[in-house]
Amino acid sequence: MSNHLFDAMFAPHAATPGTFLYLEDGGTLSRAEFGVLGARLAAVLASCGVKKGDRVALQAAKSPQALAVYAACIRLGAVLLPLNTAYTPEELAYFISDAEPRVLICDPVALDALQPIATRNNATILTLDPVGGGSLMERADAVAPHEGVATCGPEDLAAILYTSGTTGRSKGAMLSHDNLLSNARTLADLWRFTEDDTLIHALPIFHTHGLFVAVNVSLLSRAAVRFFARFDADTVVEAMPQSTTLMGVPTFYTRLLADDRLNRDLVANMRLFVSGSAPLLAATHEAFEQRTGHRILERYGMTETNMNTSNPYDGDRIAGTVGHPLPGVDLRITDPNSDVALPQGETGMIEVRGPNVFKGYWKMPEKTAEELRPDGFFITGDLGMIDAQGYVHIVGRQKDLIISGGYNIYPKEIEILLDDMPGVRESAVIGVPHPDMGEAVVALVVSDDGASPDPHDLAAALAPKLARFKHPRRVLIVEDLPRNAMGKVQKNALRAQFATCLG
Ligand code: MCA
Ligand code: AMP
């Protein structure tokens, strides 16, 4: 009787003395306490009927309790469905009806809006507030920790993470126990994580970066974690003298550079800065090195694949590259038109294969077959090339995707909503350069003949439907959209034309 992920990661962690989480209020949680918290939450979930393979949806503020829901799910063999706290009830309705979770855990303030969705889908709803209050913890405090551990093999599912699609419909990426464990082992080893480390954790815990890369690596290596509800440059700067590592999106680094206190003395105790989820500008890399003496280690991953490549720990961390394929990961570049593998140095589609690559999209076999080849290679949608030294360069994206502050935004999802609005003939949503977020969302709208929709009204109509981070920073009415000979909207031309429209 064994549980692939639990036995390798959670059980040994709980059995190791010492502090796991340093909290913002000055409190701490030991590794053993985290283990017991996970077991109590498992008992609550089991009492709601959660069994192996059942989904548990979680849309709650970052807290130790929210993190322990992950441990609880793995113990029970259940499948965690973490959801961005910014998603609106309308967005959530789709995820819940698609994933059919047995339990939905949400913030008490969202209870009224989400109760009907849970009822419709036969899910039990429990609440968890940002400071660990709510019905989930009331019940957890009243039960004995769940002692059993469900038997799970490497291929059993551990989590489903929804990632938006270029067609507008979100797809649930199914991640197995071994997808998570194999990647965490590789990263902990490559980045030299040990029990002596203290990681500054300021990422959200509903995406791969904050949940799996940061948390799994820490659990596996027994590193301590300074656990912040959100990124705030001030608090992160103050945490550096007591910490050794930071994982962040490029916005973290540009915001840290804006703080005059960032210098070599401040980072004297730090040994590693990791960046990912969006391209790190070479200028940011260089400015950071000048100020701190540290070369940020950039790596590349996806929800579907966990991490694929990393710059080296020892050796040259080259700005503008995402480094080498991880040990055990095959990476090839193919011609996007013919699918034929291209020689080194040529630019094409990045494809990856390895124990990190997901099991397919939940209930979407056709989508899975479109992106996951029979030989196991996953078609990433990212365009890249491998240089003579073996470093991978991401040079663009074939998929129509905006990355803002490390969050992915699929233009199609916004275009579908705009195109449906009165007075709108068609729309194109693009990303334009933004100094803080990397890219920002801009919507270009062509009016129906004789109509004159107000951009503010259009923006207001989008607001309740979409998470705040997806809202266009500007909606502009344009005469028409440029198209190529095939009738396809030329977004490159629009991106060039409107590059400075945010001023
Ligand atoms: C917040 N807002 C945003 C974003 N975040 N708008 C666009 N893009 C964003 N990323 C909204 C807020 O709701 C707010 O709205 C306004 O913009 C300004 O908020 P601000 O306080 O400046 O933002 P913040 O709360 O400081 O957040 C910025 C952030 C955060 C720290 C960059 O977005 C963040 O933690 N991003 C990390 C995302 C992440 O973990 N990605 C990993 C995905 P209002 O106007 O109402 O005030 S995993 C992945 O991509 C793969 C697998 C990988 O390789 O890792
Ligand atoms: P997600 O859907 O959140 O998993 O986002 C994955 C996408 O983020 C990838 O397909 C890339 O387009 C992008 N990405 C992740 N890391 C990097 C990086 N270091 N540089 C450039 N793009 C990245």
Side-chain angles (χ1 to χ4, degrees), residues 34-57:
F34 182 72
V36 172
L37 181 58
R40 283 188 185 282
L41 293 174
V44 177
L45 295 177
S47 74
C48 297
V50 172
K51 300 180 303 303
K52 181 176 171 183
D54 286 343
R55 277 75 57 210
V56 173

Side-chain angles (χ1 to χ4, degrees), residues 277-279 298-299 301-303 322 382 394 397 399 403 408:
S277 309
E298 186 172 8
R299 66 24 169 213
M302 283 186 77
T303 302
V322 292
D382 292 313
I394 299 177
R397 298 177 207 130
K399 53 194 172 193
I403 306 184
N408 287 6

Side-chain angles (χ1 to χ4, degrees), residues 396-409:
R397 298 177 207 130
Q398 201 186 48
K399 53 194 172 193
D400 190 12
L401 163 69
I402 299 166
I403 306 184
S404 168
Y407 285 142
N408 287 6
I409 299 157

Side-chain angles (χ1 to χ4, degrees), residues 52-77:
K52 181 176 171 183
D54 286 343
R55 277 75 57 210
V56 173
L58 173 69
Q59 190 193 37
K62 185 175 172 183
S63 68
Q65 292 78 9
L67 188 61
V69 172
Y70 168 39
C73 286
I74 302 304
R75 176 185 277 274
L76 294 176

Side-chain angles (χ1 to χ4, degrees), residues 202-204 207-210 213 230-231 249 251-252 255 276-278 299-303 306-307 404-409 436-437 439 468-470 473:
L203 288 159
H207 281 315
T208 297
H209 197 165
V213 184
R230 55 180 290 278
F231 177 82
V249 296
T251 301
F252 284 21
R255 289 188 182 181
S277 309
R299 66 24 169 213
Y300 157 59
M302 283 186 77
T303 302
N306 299 286
M307 298 304 102
S404 168
Y407 285 142
N408 287 6
I409 299 157
D436 184 35
M437 297 290 182
E439 287 184 281
R468 177 78 185 100
F469 68 89
K470 300 178 190 169
R473 295 290 170 119

